Amino acid sequence: MNKLLAVVGIAGLAIGGWKLHSHHAVATDGGKLVADRVWIDHMPRTERDTINAFVVLSSDPFGVFQATSRWQGQFEMFKYDQKGNEIRAVFPQTGTKETIKTNAKKCNEKGFDFCLELDGGKHGVSRYYSMEGWDVGSADAAKARLSAIQGR
């Protein structure tokens, strides 16, 4: 239950993009830039607009693909190993495994600072974006921030 709340909190960060601590992504290796950062496919236009979010945390390590609005959402968590630009994900609910190739880099698209392309997986979307300051240090910090983002 705690992990579920943490995942919801992490996805909530995608809505507001709040800075949780002062970790700056300066890596040129996309594999290093992917983890511990909130990735979304677009900024929500309304509170009912569904966005796709992707987060992997290096400290546990687990991750989540989530489609969410302020009011409704679906997610699937996974455990993973990361080797360079490759994530080997295991989805415990279904037992499925995926090898996802990542390509993350600095960019200037649609007002975002970072771009991420995923290839080889069946979850989420293939292109995500992130901003400077959208790095996350822990699931607990993300969960706490969700309430503030949603105005509760």
Side-chain angles (χ1 to χ4, degrees), residues 11-58:
L13 278 175
I15 296 170
W18 292 91
K19 184 175 182 174
L20 295 178
H21 70 291
S22 61
H23 172 79
H24 296 286
V26 294
T28 56
D29 173 17
K32 293 179 183 174
L33 184 58
V34 173
D36 301 319
R37 172 168 296 284
V38 174
W39 296 93
I40 62 173
D41 66 338
H42 70 278
M43 288 298 290
R45 294 175 282 279
T46 68
E47 63 184 19
R48 294 186 301 186
D49 185 19
T50 298
I51 62 170
N52 289 282
F54 173 73
V55 178
V56 291
L57 293 178
S58 62

Side-chain angles (χ1 to χ4, degrees), residues 47-103:
E47 63 184 19
R48 294 186 301 186
D49 185 19
T50 298
I51 62 170
N52 289 282
F54 173 73
V55 178
V56 291
L57 293 178
S58 62
S59 61
D60 208 353
F62 75 93
V64 64
F65 284 98
Q66 184 160 352
T68 188
S69 73
R70 180 174 178 182
W71 301 106
Q72 183 178 26
Q74 296 178 336
F75 68 93
E76 187 162 6
M77 292 175 51
F78 59 92
K79 297 177 182 181
Y80 76 96
D81 287 319
Q82 185 172 357
K83 304 283 188 217
N85 291 347
E86 190 173 271
I87 292 175
R88 294 182 190 122
V90 177
F91 296 86
Q93 179 67 28
T94 61
T96 59
K97 297 178 182 181
E98 293 181 2
T99 299
I100 305 164
K101 294 184 180 177
T102 66
N103 182 14

Side-chain angles (χ1 to χ4, degrees), residues 14 16-18 37-38 40 43 112 129-136:
W18 292 91
R37 172 168 296 284
V38 174
I40 62 173
M43 288 298 290
F112 291 95
Y129 303 94
S130 189
M131 298 284 288
E132 193 70 54
W134 284 16
D135 43 329
V136 292

Side-chain angles (χ1 to χ4, degrees), residues 110-127:
K110 301 181 181 183
F112 291 95
D113 299 319
F114 303 102
C115 297
L116 170 65
E117 292 180 12
L118 300 182
D119 186 34
K122 296 179 180 161
H123 292 80
V125 297
S126 60
R127 188 140 176 104

